[in-house]
Amino acid sequence: MLTTRISALFLCGVLAACCLTGCGAARSGDPGLSAESGTTQPAAVSSAGDGVYVPTDEGVYELQSISPGSANLFYTDAATKSRIFLCADPGCSHDSDRCTSYIATPGASFPPLLLRGGDGLLVFFAGTNEEAPRAMTMDFDGSNRHTAFTLSAGQQPAGSFFLAGDRLYFDLMETGENGQNRYQLWCADLSAGKAEALLDLGVDGAYYALCGSAGDKLCFQQVTEEGLRYCMYSTRDNKLEQPFYTDNSESGNSLVGGGYLFTIDETARTATRLDLATGEQLTCAFSLKEGYGAPSLRYLFDGKLLLTAASTQSTGDSYDLCSYVLDFPAGSCTEMTLRTPFNDRPVMVLSQVGELCLVASDYRIDSGTGLPANVYAFLSRQDYLNSNPDGYLPVNDCV
């Protein structure tokens, strides 16, 4: 269900739009405006974020709840290797609206989503019994906050967001009075402060879910009797194109990321990478250690796939994970040996700044909440791929 996707993003605490006439006319300086012709051209779309981390050329922004009824913005600088509250006041307690890192979330069950919003940040509030879902934009220093758009009661984004200039794409679920859920593709013009539906995506049991992008097109997934069917959405024509691929594997374990569609054949122990822009397909064999199964896919970078597998000898709530990197052009499968001391799990890439990967090298118990908190570090991409334990660049957490 699509509701599962957005719930997972909220619980994680854990990366779009196009120049359509329906989203407002292009203005001078818009990415979709052709200087020669003055006509609108579809802009390239890219992920607006995973809801938790927003990377920039200099560092990573993060949204986290550390007190009931509120959340705070944090910034990890790649140059200084430091993590701070997004606040310039050294004497600030970071617990009121006077602070640029503070965001009030009264009545919310989950922290809001943090996304890239044009030339700044966008915070999406899921809504409560008293308030409708809404989006707020702000500058990268947390100031100049404005409501970007507000949805209606019963409407909820499904969890995937993509950007093209000032325009934000997302698929939305609306629950009717009869309890049936209807799905739509929406576009928000962040500069104009409005959002509207573009396309009907179906109802419960037969709907399309937004899952990726390539060039100026969006990728959608639909569950059918034959398997997971994939098709592209043309931003130029505002319509879904004919399906280009159906994943009819037994597990239906597939992933869209970085402009690629990844699928696996668990029986043959192979993974396939399909380039959404060119249609090129590459296959890479993988192997799992004895006693591990149920492989899961996670996009890494540079067209590589991170494959994790769980121990089949789990007891109770305790189980082990192992991970592998699949390099499709090289046809190689390499086991990752970096693990966190706290729970002896594989080290995952949380975000990226250029050639640096932000990772949780370990975990600590937060003195205030009693919950595990990340111990951050940077690793170069090469050190990560080589599982180099001496490559960590520790982050000084000032929080």
Side-chain angles (χ1 to χ4, degrees), residues 301-341:
F301 49 73
D302 297 339
K304 296 180 177 65
L305 181 70
L306 185 69
L307 184 150
T308 62
S311 170
T312 58
Q313 302 171 349
S314 306
T315 56
D317 294 331
S318 177
Y319 64 95
D320 185 33
L321 286 176
C322 63
S323 62
Y324 303 84
V325 170
L326 273 59
D327 186 324
F328 288 85
S332 63
C333 173
T334 306
E335 183 180 357
M336 304 295 291
T337 58
L338 291 176
R339 301 180 74 87
T340 57

Side-chain angles (χ1 to χ4, degrees), residues 84-345:
I84 62 171
F85 281 95
L86 190 63
C87 175
D89 181 0
C92 184
S93 56
H94 314 298
D95 58 2
S96 73
D97 290 332
R98 295 188 299 273
C99 176
T100 51
S101 82
Y102 178 84
I103 297 175
T105 60
S109 300
F110 308 106
L113 297 176
L114 179 65
L115 303 164
R116 181 71 181 260
D119 294 328
L121 300 172
L122 183 143
V123 176
F124 183 83
F125 300 85
T128 63
N129 293 334
E130 292 76 28
E131 293 185 353
R134 62 185 176 90
M136 176 178 68
T137 57
M138 65 184 70
D139 293 341
F140 281 117
D141 63 358
S143 65
N144 197 27
R145 301 183 179 189
H146 298 284
T147 297
F149 59 89
T150 301
L151 301 177
S152 300
Q155 294 180 329
Q156 199 66 256
S160 293
F161 299 83
F162 292 84
L163 265 179
D166 290 338
R167 291 165 171 80
L168 181 74
Y169 272 135
F170 55 95
D171 51 346
L172 178 147
M173 180 187 74
E174 183 171 14
T175 304
E177 293 181 357
N178 59 358
Q180 184 182 50
N181 295 318
R182 175 170 294 278
Y183 303 87
Q184 296 176 322
L185 174 65
W186 277 57
C187 175
D189 187 330
L190 301 179
S191 60
K194 64 177 182 179
E196 57 188 358
L198 297 180
L199 192 69
D200 183 25
L201 299 176
V203 296
D204 279 343
Y207 61 87
Y208 293 87
L210 179 60
C211 61
S213 69
D216 59 9
K217 294 184 178 182
L218 296 170
C219 184
F220 284 84
Q221 177 192 86
Q222 184 188 33
V223 179
T224 69
E225 293 182 356
E226 293 75 28
L228 292 174
R229 184 168 63 180
Y230 290 88
C231 59
M232 303 301 287
Y233 165 84
S234 169
T235 61
R236 183 187 301 273
D237 302 324
N238 188 28
K239 68 178 183 181
L240 288 171
E241 300 175 350
Q242 290 298 313
F244 65 89
Y245 188 90
T246 299
D247 176 18
N248 53 17
S249 62
E250 183 177 345
S251 65
N253 190 348
S254 56
L255 168 76
V256 176
Y260 299 99
L261 166 63
F262 298 93
T263 61
I264 61 173
D265 184 333
E266 294 185 31
T267 302
R269 292 290 175 89
T270 59
T272 299
R273 187 188 78 177
L274 187 150
D275 190 313
L276 295 179
T278 67
E280 178 191 33
Q281 291 191 39
L282 294 175
T283 299
C284 182
F286 65 87
S287 59
L288 301 179
K289 294 190 298 185
E290 184 178 353
Y292 289 79
S296 181
L297 313 182
R298 181 194 297 245
Y299 179 65
L300 193 54
F301 49 73
D302 297 339
K304 296 180 177 65
L305 181 70
L306 185 69
L307 184 150
T308 62
S311 170
T312 58
Q313 302 171 349
S314 306
T315 56
D317 294 331
S318 177
Y319 64 95
D320 185 33
L321 286 176
C322 63
S323 62
Y324 303 84
V325 170
L326 273 59
D327 186 324
F328 288 85
S332 63
C333 173
T334 306
E335 183 180 357
M336 304 295 291
T337 58
L338 291 176
R339 301 180 74 87
T340 57
F342 179 84
N343 56 7
D344 196 32
R345 293 294 178 86

Side-chain angles (χ1 to χ4, degrees), residues 325-394:
V325 170
L326 273 59
D327 186 324
F328 288 85
S332 63
C333 173
T334 306
E335 183 180 357
M336 304 295 291
T337 58
L338 291 176
R339 301 180 74 87
T340 57
F342 179 84
N343 56 7
D344 196 32
R345 293 294 178 86
V347 172
M348 302 295 181
V349 174
L350 304 176
S351 190
Q352 297 180 64
V353 182
E355 290 299 312
L356 293 177
C357 301
L358 179 67
V359 302
S361 59
D362 199 356
Y363 301 90
R364 59 180 172 82
I365 300 300
D366 186 271
S367 59
T369 65
L371 299 175
N374 289 332
V375 175
Y376 291 102
F378 282 104
L379 271 173
S380 72
R381 290 187 180 188
Q382 202 57 47
D383 280 334
Y384 182 81
L385 293 176
N386 293 337
S387 295
N388 180 13
D390 299 322
Y392 288 118
L393 302 171

Side-chain angles (χ1 to χ4, degrees), residues 5-16:
R5 290 196 287 137
I6 194 167
S7 295
L9 285 172
F10 281 124
L11 289 170
C12 229
V14 208
L15 206 163

Side-chain angles (χ1 to χ4, degrees), residues 42-60:
V45 293
S46 60
S47 172
D50 62 3
V52 181
Y53 299 98
V54 172
T56 67
D57 293 338
E58 293 79 28
V60 179

